[in-house]
Amino acid sequence: QVQLVESGGGLVQAGGSLRLSCAASGRTFSSSVMGWFRQAPGKEREFVAGISWRGANTYYADAVKGRFTISRDNAKNTVYLQMNSLKPEDTAVYYCARPTDPYYTGRNYERYNYWGQGTQVTVSS
């Protein structure tokens, strides 16, 4: 069983930064791809960033590339999302997730079956 708990969200002005954390339980964390998604009101959940199990490979949505950085610490069973140069359009609930197939590196949220409860990020203009 995998449990994911996000933290670090909040209210920030445009141009500011936040760092999200996702603490995972379960022995399979270090052998699985992990991802961050977000969902704004009235919009579909969208992929933000993903990271391979060792952290050697990372990939991002075009909307956040160059501003967000995903990383992980397998010793702490934690994955992070550093968000810089935040924009009002980044406002959303952010979720970390683990895919059903631990090697899946795609962006389809339906292929992820473990989700945290989400953390709200609000960027004011």
Side-chain angles (χ1 to χ4, degrees):
Q1 187 72 12
V2 175
Q3 289 188 321
L4 305 172
V5 179
E6 302 96 337
S7 61
L11 173 64
V12 64
Q13 288 188 331
S17 298
L18 283 174
R19 189 194 195 203
L20 305 184
S21 299
C22 172
S25 64
R27 290 176 292 177
T28 59
F29 171 82
S30 61
S31 60
S32 175
V33 166
M34 293 295 295
W36 283 96
F37 290 76
R38 67 186 182 186
Q39 188 165 19
K43 294 188 176 181
E44 193 170 271
R45 191 167 298 190
E46 64 174 358
F47 172 83
V48 174
I51 188 167
S52 60
W53 66 279
R54 281 186 176 178
N57 297 308
T58 58
Y59 39 104
Y60 300 91
D62 288 343
V64 307
K65 200 172 295 182
R67 300 187 297 121
F68 291 11
T69 302
I70 188 172
S71 62
R72 66 191 298 163
D73 185 340
N74 287 342
K76 295 182 179 180
N77 272 16
T78 302
V79 62
Y80 305 97
L81 186 68
Q82 177 66 46
M83 305 185 295
N84 298 329
S85 301
L86 283 161
K87 305 175 181 180
E89 51 263 43
D90 294 318
T91 295
V93 177
Y94 284 71
Y95 301 89
C96 69
R98 205 207 87 166
T100 310
D101 174 356
Y103 302 106
Y104 176 69
T105 58
R107 305 175 181 214
N108 182 353
Y109 69 86
E110 294 180 340
R111 298 285 298 271
Y112 288 72
N113 65 330
Y114 296 106
W115 294 87
Q117 82 289 352
T119 186
Q120 176 71 46
V121 171
T122 303
V123 184
S124 63
S125 57

